[in-house]
């Protein structure tokens, strides 16, 4: 085969594959977004990702890891599509390659918890459309069937390019339509009227934010609240169809609707949410006022038996999280939250109902899109992250973070400089003090911002007037509510949360 011919074959293979992917995505818009071929493969890849790779992805890509993953999947599939075009022109074997790819996608979609019975349909349609598209591949002049067409090479080339263009265009159009279909705006609850809390809290104080530029605000705006989950497609849940099932080692398993939940006593609570993947000084942490029912009220109605030591929660998209029964029943005030910052949860943060368990990292206590609570034991059932190298149980570690000045900032000598940040301990009765030091100097006590309770972070602020120019290191450390000073022991996020003191560098000029 000559090289221009091979190029045309690759081009048509690519176009046929795009068209197939688009058609599959369109069908998935009706069947369920998670069954779209590339999304299903991406989601399966996330579940199969080893801990070290997941760590690398979150530390280098942050929350962009999912778009990067999907683009990666698409690039690989399209390259294989081009190869399918070349194989097709050689010996008609390209169709097998596309069929194989679609088979992998169908398997991935069928094994997704949110896939449903028609999960394999989008991949099947993708295969069919892709294989039909391969008919436009110009045949190799060296095989008898293609010799005749090769004689019209000039017009065949033009026809080929037009066909490839049409296929790609049709695929892109279908993909667009599929995306629109798959995201019904009406299904979310931003118009929902929230029930009043049984004991409203006083308004949150303003905090030190206004007087200290660059300092984290006391309450994280919802739009800035970090997002960590394995969902490639954010579940869109229709509240009228939503049910929470409570079963397992309980006396009376039952199901509750969203309306029934809203009629239970509603609690307001100020709680900081932490991700176990947050490195020292990192920003996978947010604080807000939550509204919800007490988790223990919901569990009490079922009557959890003494034999259970964990509640295994499951989300709409199949995530499983283990939380100690004790943490959900003691006085810390674990919630099944329906609102944050005065508004219903956004789809990103778990609409319609999510768990919030003070003192525990999100991966062991903050299940979003909650649908199921099962009383069981750690010996019997393991949750998603526990089978992937993370600790079965993990309490939030005491930390302090320096927000101002920024790491690497250049500051003038001789003028007073604010050093400020936030500190949190959660499981250890909040923060009773924060100290800072420059280089190896003495520890200086910082002023603390308002105390919003043990489960909420605390702002702090100190001042320093640099004299000597050059590089300086600023370090902070917190003292928790029990009087214990934050550990200097350095630990990576895996397996149960980072520890060590946060330091930044500044250059005094
Ligand atoms: N369904 C579901 N819930 C989940 C997760 C997830 O991947 N899926 N991630 C957990 C983790 S690791 C954290 S840190 C918090 C983050 O909640 P946020 O995205 O609202 O900040 O959600 C938790 N709940
Ligand atoms: Mo997390």
């Amino acid at each position: 085969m000559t090289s221009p011919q091979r190029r045309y074959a690759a081009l048509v293979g690519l176009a046929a594959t795009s068209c197939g992917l688009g058609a599959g995505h369109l069908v998935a818009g009706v069947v369920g977004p998670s069954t779209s071929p590339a999304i299903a493969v991406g989601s399966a890849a996330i579940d199969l990702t080893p801990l070290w790779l997941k760590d690398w992805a979150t530390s280098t890509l942050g929350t962009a890891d999912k778009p990067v993953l999907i683009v990666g999947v698409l690039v690989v599939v399209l390259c294989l599509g081009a190869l399918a075009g070349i194989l097709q022109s050689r010996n008609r074997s390209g169709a097998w390659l596309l069929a194989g790819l679609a088979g992998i996608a169908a398997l991935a979609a069928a094994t997704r918890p949110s896939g449903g019975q028609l999960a394999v349909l989008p991949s099947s349609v993708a295969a069919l459309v892709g294989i039909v598209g391969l008919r436009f591949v110009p045949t190799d002049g060296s095989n008898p069937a293609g010799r005749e067409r090769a004689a019209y090479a000039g017009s065949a080339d033009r026809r080929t390019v037009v066909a490839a263009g049409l296929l790609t265009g049709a695929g892109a159009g279908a993909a667009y339509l599929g995306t629109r279909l798959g995201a019904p705006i009406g299904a979310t609850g931003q118009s929902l009227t929230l029930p009043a809390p049984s004991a409203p809290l006083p308004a949150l104080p303003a905090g030190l934010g206004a007087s200290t530029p660059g300092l984290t605000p006391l309450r994280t705006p919802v739009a800035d609240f970090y997002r960590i989950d394995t969902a490639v497609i954010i579940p869109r849940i229709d509240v009228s169809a939503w049910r929470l099932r409570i079963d397992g080692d309980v006396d009376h398993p039952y199901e509750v609707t969203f309306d029934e939940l809203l009629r239970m006593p509603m609690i307001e609570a100020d709680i900081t949410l932490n991700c176990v993947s947050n490195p020292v000084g990192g920003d996978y942490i947010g604080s807000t006022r939550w509204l919800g029912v007490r988790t223990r009220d919901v569990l009490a109605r079922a009557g959890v038996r003494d034999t259970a030591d964990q509640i295994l929660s499951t989300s709409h998209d199949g995530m499983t999280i283990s939380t100690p029964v004790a943490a959900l029943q003691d006085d810390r005030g674990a919630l099944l939250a329906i609102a944050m910052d005065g508004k219903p949860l956004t789809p990103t943060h778990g609409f319609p109902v999510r768990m919030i368990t003070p003192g525990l990292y999100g991966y062991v206590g903050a299940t979003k899109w909650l649908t199921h609570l099962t009383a069981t034991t750690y010996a019997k059932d393991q949750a998603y992250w526990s089978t992937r190298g993370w600790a079965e149980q993990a309490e939030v570690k005491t930390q302090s973070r320096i927000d101002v000045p920024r790491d690497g900032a250049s500051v003038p000598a001789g003028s007073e400089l604010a050093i400020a940040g936030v500190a949190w301990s959660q499981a250890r009765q909040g923060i009773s003090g924060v100290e800072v030091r420059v280089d190896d100097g003495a520890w200086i006590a910082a002023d603390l911002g308002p105390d919003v309770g043990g489960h909420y972070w605390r702002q702090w602020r100190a001042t320093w007037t640099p004299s000597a120019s050059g590089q300086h290191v600023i370090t902070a450390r917190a003292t928790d509510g029990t009087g214990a000073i934050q550990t200097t022991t350095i630990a990576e996020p895996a397996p149960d949360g980072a520890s060590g003191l946060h330091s930044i560098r500044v250059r005094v000029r």
Side-chain angles (χ1 to χ4, degrees):
M1 188 174 26
T2 61
S3 114
Q5 264 176 325
R6 193 183 306 151
R7 240 178 276 139
Y8 284 124
L11 181 70
V12 176
L14 194 103
T17 309
S18 315
C19 194
L21 283 170
H25 195 67
L26 174 60
V27 176
V30 182
V31 172
S34 65
T35 60
S36 176
I39 291 167
V41 170
S43 305
I46 290 178
D47 289 353
L48 297 172
T49 301
L51 181 59
W52 60 266
L53 187 58
K54 188 237 159 205
D55 255 9
W56 173 84
T58 32
S59 61
T60 52
L61 306 170
T63 346
D65 56 350
K66 286 182 203 82
V68 169
L69 172 74
I70 294 300
V71 170
V73 169
L74 287 174
V75 167
V76 170
V77 170
L78 290 175
C79 288
L80 290 170
L83 178 66
I86 295 169
L87 292 175
Q88 188 70 1
S89 77
R90 283 217 186 128
N91 54 17
R92 308 251 145 221
S93 60
W96 290 107
L97 177 53
L98 288 196
L101 286 175
I104 293 172
L107 185 68
T111 50
R112 291 274 95 211
S114 48
Q117 280 160 353
L118 296 175
V120 300
L121 196 64
S123 308
S124 312
V125 169
L128 204 70
V129 169
I131 290 168
V132 170
L134 286 184
R135 293 179 64 91
F136 295 96
V137 169
T139 2
D140 190 337
S142 63
N143 77 46
R147 222 169 269 151
E148 200 185 324
R149 280 176 63 188
Y152 302 98
S155 64
D157 292 354
R158 222 171 303 123
R159 276 207 308 268
T160 306
V161 173
V162 170
L166 288 175
L167 283 172
T168 310
Y176 172 77
L177 259 176
T179 302
R180 292 293 299 269
L181 282 175
I185 316 144
T188 73
Q190 293 305 297
S191 57
L192 199 99
T193 317
L194 292 174
S198 49
L201 292 175
L204 262 179
L208 306 178
S211 57
T212 316
L215 174 60
T216 300
L218 192 57
R219 177 198 322 233
T220 313
V222 175
D224 299 342
F225 209 97
Y226 80 98
R227 170 198 167 195
I228 295 283
D229 54 58
T230 58
V232 174
I233 292 281
I234 295 182
R236 303 268 164 172
I237 297 173
D238 176 3
V239 264
S240 59
W242 180 88
R243 298 282 183 282
L244 173 64
R245 179 159 182 76
I246 299 99
D247 59 14
D249 298 340
V250 298
D251 294 331
H252 320 284
Y254 73 103
E255 251 181 30
V256 61
T257 66
F258 192 64
D259 281 343
E260 285 163 356
L261 205 67
L262 294 191
R263 286 197 292 271
M264 294 178 68
M266 279 289 155
I267 310 301
E268 248 182 352
D270 297 320
I271 300 167
T272 296
L273 180 61
N274 300 67
C275 182
V276 70
S277 297
N278 198 25
V280 171
D283 53 12
Y284 293 159
I285 177 169
S287 299
T288 195
R289 176 163 291 180
W290 307 88
L291 178 74
V293 303
R294 283 197 197 88
T295 312
R296 74 171 172 202
D297 290 353
V298 171
L299 293 176
R301 204 174 127 188
V304 176
R305 298 196 176 131
D306 290 345
T307 45
D309 60 5
Q310 69 140 315
I311 300 293
L312 185 75
S313 52
T314 309
S315 72
H316 182 78
D317 66 332
M319 168 56 67
T320 51
I321 283 180
S322 288
T323 312
V325 171
L328 299 178
Q329 292 189 327
D330 65 18
D331 292 334
R332 75 182 68 202
L335 292 182
L336 302 187
I338 60 159
M340 64 194 288
D341 200 9
K343 284 181 224 63
L345 296 176
T346 58
T348 316
H349 294 293
F351 179 83
V353 179
R354 75 171 303 165
M355 294 173 63
I356 288 292
T357 311
L360 301 185
Y361 290 113
Y363 87 108
V364 284
T367 316
K368 304 194 271 189
W369 314 295
L370 181 70
T371 58
H372 194 173
L373 296 171
T374 301
T376 180
T377 61
Y378 282 103
K380 195 168 150 218
D381 288 305
Q382 280 78 46
Y384 186 92
W385 289 115
S386 317
T387 60
R388 288 169 172 78
W390 294 83
E392 210 163 60
Q393 304 191 30
E395 279 189 348
V396 172
K397 296 179 181 175
T398 304
Q399 277 288 307
S400 46
R401 183 182 77 194
I402 304 168
D403 294 336
V404 267
R406 287 274 155 213
D407 189 23
S410 160
V411 299
S415 50
E416 193 180 77
L417 179 75
I419 303 173
V422 283
W424 57 91
S425 90
Q426 292 224 345
R428 305 181 55 85
Q429 300 168 32
I431 293 296
S432 62
V434 174
E435 297 158 289
V436 293
R437 74 169 179 195
V438 177
D439 301 322
D440 295 328
W443 287 102
I444 306 157
D447 295 328
L448 295 180
D451 184 359
V452 188
H455 300 313
Y456 209 79
W457 63 19
R458 197 145 182 194
Q459 295 172 318
W460 54 268
R461 184 177 190 274
T463 51
W464 172 50
T465 307
S467 49
S469 63
Q471 284 275 359
H472 295 283
V473 176
I474 303 173
T475 307
R477 70 174 186 192
T479 302
D480 67 32
T482 73
I485 295 178
Q486 182 187 337
T487 180
T488 54
T489 305
I490 295 173
E492 294 301 312
D496 65 355
S499 70
L501 305 186
H502 186 211
S503 288
I504 59 156
R505 265 164 218 287
V506 293
R507 199 176 59 80
V508 177
R509 55 175 196 270

